Amino acid sequence: PTTAGERAESPKIGTSVAYTLADDKLEIKGYTQSVDPKSTFDFLYFGRTASSYNNRRTGDPIALEFKHALSWITIKVKGGKGALIEGRKWAVTDVKLAGVQTTGDFTYTGTAAETKVEWKTPQTASSTEFVIFDGKQELTSTMDVVETETNGTLVIPQPATTLWVTIEYLSPANDIITEDIEINLADYTTAGWEAGKRYTYELSFDPTEITVAPIVETWPDPVVASPQF
């Protein structure tokens, strides 16, 4: 995924930004995430630690340790034995997330030992689709990432939504069959998508079933060249 610092332009941060010094509280209202993978930005914040808090009081250098504020979604696909029969030619032609909230309010609160972040997506916010892949990728026996852009699919933390996958294959009679498959990711990620985590969904396709295996990982902290203060 691309951080804003790696591009010449910067995304609009929100409709309003407020900081309260006494509480060390930053509030960003109306942050909007692009649904175009070509212009997707990672949203970073400075994560306070006990050492950085103490160094602020003693005057020692404070290293800026950045954290990810968004969630990273990755889809992988492969064919099962039934889909890999010679001549079947199973392929994925479209992958998208539906019902995604693209606008949210971000709150950052510092304490003596850590930084707490919270996202709220307004109940009245409209949802939209994230097109992860639009093309044609044949299924193999290897679990492969399927995405059009390598920037990655970054979303505002929220309850997991619906994944739509379009598959195409040849029937035994050599007819081209196209099917739209709906997968409710909330069934596999009940806690929802959280800030600073990567969610990988491995999909295995067979003629009679689809297997979904979710993997949840901590998104490694970014390495950002920055001065110490």
Side-chain angles (χ1 to χ4, degrees), residues 37-38 95 131-135 137 146-151 153:
K38 293 181 180 179
V95 179
V131 177
I132 298 175
F133 178 73
D134 181 15
Q137 181 169 316
V146 55
E147 56 187 17
T148 301
E149 298 292 330
T150 57
N151 287 348
T153 302

Side-chain angles (χ1 to χ4, degrees), residues 35-103:
V35 298
D36 180 3
K38 293 181 180 179
S39 58
T40 295
F41 289 94
D42 190 1
F43 177 10
L44 306 180
Y45 67 93
F46 168 49
R48 176 182 290 177
T49 62
S51 61
S52 66
Y53 178 79
N54 291 331
N55 289 357
R56 184 187 70 167
R57 302 174 65 184
T58 61
D60 293 326
I62 298 176
L64 298 183
E65 301 177 11
F66 288 92
K67 305 287 184 181
H68 299 281
L70 301 178
S71 305
W72 180 8
I73 313 300
T74 300
I75 306 300
K76 291 185 176 183
V77 296
K78 79 169 186 177
K81 292 182 179 179
L84 298 178
I85 296 175
E86 185 177 357
R88 283 291 180 90
K89 296 183 179 179
W90 282 55
V92 170
T93 60
D94 187 61
V95 179
K96 60 189 177 184
L97 289 173
V100 179
Q101 301 291 334
T102 59
T103 300

Side-chain angles (χ1 to χ4, degrees), residues 124-215:
T124 57
S126 60
S127 61
T128 188
E129 292 181 349
F130 272 67
V131 177
I132 298 175
F133 178 73
D134 181 15
K136 186 172 183 177
Q137 181 169 316
E138 290 195 7
L139 300 182
T140 69
S141 59
T142 302
M143 194 66 75
D144 296 319
V145 174
V146 55
E147 56 187 17
T148 301
E149 298 292 330
T150 57
N151 287 348
T153 302
L154 307 182
V155 300
I156 291 174
Q158 59 191 281
T161 64
T162 301
L163 180 72
W164 282 94
V165 180
T166 302
I167 60 172
E168 177 184 290
Y169 58 93
L170 289 177
S171 72
N174 288 327
D175 296 320
I176 297 178
I177 308 297
T178 300
E179 293 186 18
D180 293 324
I181 299 170
E182 180 182 9
I183 301 173
N184 183 12
L185 297 183
D187 292 340
Y188 305 93
T189 314
T190 55
W193 295 326
E194 300 178 13
K197 291 188 177 181
R198 181 180 186 180
Y199 298 85
T200 301
Y201 298 94
E202 296 186 338
L203 313 180
S204 180
F205 294 88
D206 265 307
T208 58
E209 66 176 350
I210 300 170
T211 303
V212 181
I215 300 173

